[in-house]
Amino acid sequence: DGILVTSSWTTTSEAIDAVSSVFMASNVYNEYAASAAGNGTDWVLTFPTKRFYVDSSITLTSSPIAPFEEEFGANEDGLSCTVVGIVNYDREENTLAATGCGFSPCPPGQPPSSICHETNVITFNANSTTNSVLSSTLTSNIVPIGSAGWAALNLDPNAGPDIGNPFFGESGGPHNLHVALNGNQFHGLPVTGFQATNFVVGGSTSILANYSSVNRHRISRSCTNAGGGCS
């Protein structure tokens, strides 16, 4: 809400939280376009400090450290999955209840609606997970509603429903940073990234035009303090 929030961590084990707090987001929002005409969108989500919470060679522990919930390779798959909530709307604000894992196809053996890499690519394509604008071969796919609209990822799924959608919550988390010295606690995950969209326009005159754009994600932050508001 436009206020300055100051938080401090002093212990060695929690020093990385000072960096993570700058990137913390409870929700990520952006637009998508996907159609048979060749329009496509990739979302890139990077967790820049993730390794300091889930890599045992750095943490020197066999358990993940919050706000992440799975150590790298805990299931002998080389992944570290975290559960997110998913909702998407078409251009007329129509939406449907989320079913299954939220991604299509659902990754076998992984938690529902989970993203599992340090850098993740999410595609929006109703037909296939291979149509990545960035040509990524490691994608999670969301089946969009209509050919264009906007979507949101809830990175603090245990917080429950959000933006008026009762299907936005998922069973995961909680995703909370350690409490700062002044009582501030950030909720969600430390994330940054962007949306890449490609528009393909063709016609009967054999004229082909490509239009591409990159836009940063919009986010919302969540910070609580048992002694009052974060400050």
Side-chain angles (χ1 to χ4, degrees):
D1 296 323
I3 64 171
L4 176 65
V5 175
T6 302
S7 307
S8 298
W9 293 266
T10 59
T11 63
T12 301
S13 61
E14 297 177 8
I16 190 60
D17 288 349
V19 179
S20 294
S21 67
V22 178
F23 293 95
M24 287 295 285
S26 56
N27 296 281
V28 173
Y29 311 94
N30 219 320
E31 300 176 356
Y32 67 83
S35 73
N39 300 339
T41 297
D42 283 2
W43 282 18
V44 176
L45 292 98
T46 296
F47 302 118
T49 58
K50 182 176 181 177
R51 62 188 181 277
F52 297 101
Y53 298 91
V54 300
D55 188 337
S56 61
S57 66
I58 297 175
T59 64
L60 303 181
T61 177
S62 59
S63 300
I65 299 174
F68 292 94
E69 56 191 273
E70 185 179 76
E71 187 182 29
F72 269 136
N75 294 317
E76 299 182 356
D77 54 7
L79 302 175
S80 169
C81 295
T82 187
V83 175
V84 299
I86 302 171
V87 65
N88 66 99
Y89 294 83
D90 67 13
R91 295 175 64 181
E92 305 302 324
E93 294 297 305
N94 295 310
T95 188
L96 296 173
T99 59
C101 67
F103 292 113
S104 177
C106 297
Q110 295 178 11
S113 300
S114 59
I115 48 180
C116 301
H117 300 279
E118 192 165 59
T119 298
N120 303 271
V121 177
I122 298 176
T123 58
F124 293 81
N125 186 296
N127 301 315
S128 148
T129 59
T130 59
N131 186 25
S132 167
V133 173
L134 302 175
S135 299
S136 173
T137 58
L138 295 173
T139 63
S140 298
N141 185 61
I142 295 176
V143 176
I145 300 173
S147 60
W150 67 278
L153 296 182
N154 183 355
L155 303 185
D156 188 21
N158 259 2
D162 199 357
I163 57 176
N165 189 307
F167 307 102
F168 202 29
E170 294 282 355
S171 57
H175 300 160
N176 303 318
L177 274 185
H178 294 106
V179 179
L181 294 179
N182 63 346
N184 289 345
Q185 186 172 43
F186 293 88
H187 311 283
L189 294 171
V191 65
T192 187
F194 59 91
Q195 163 240 53
T197 296
N198 192 48
F199 296 94
V200 178
V201 179
S204 58
T205 58
S206 300
I207 297 175
L208 180 65
N210 291 332
Y211 303 88
S212 300
S213 66
V214 173
N215 299 283
R216 65 183 180 88
H217 293 312
R218 290 79 162 175
I219 68 167
S220 61
R221 301 183 188 273
S222 175
C223 180
T224 58
N225 190 307
C230 295
S231 61

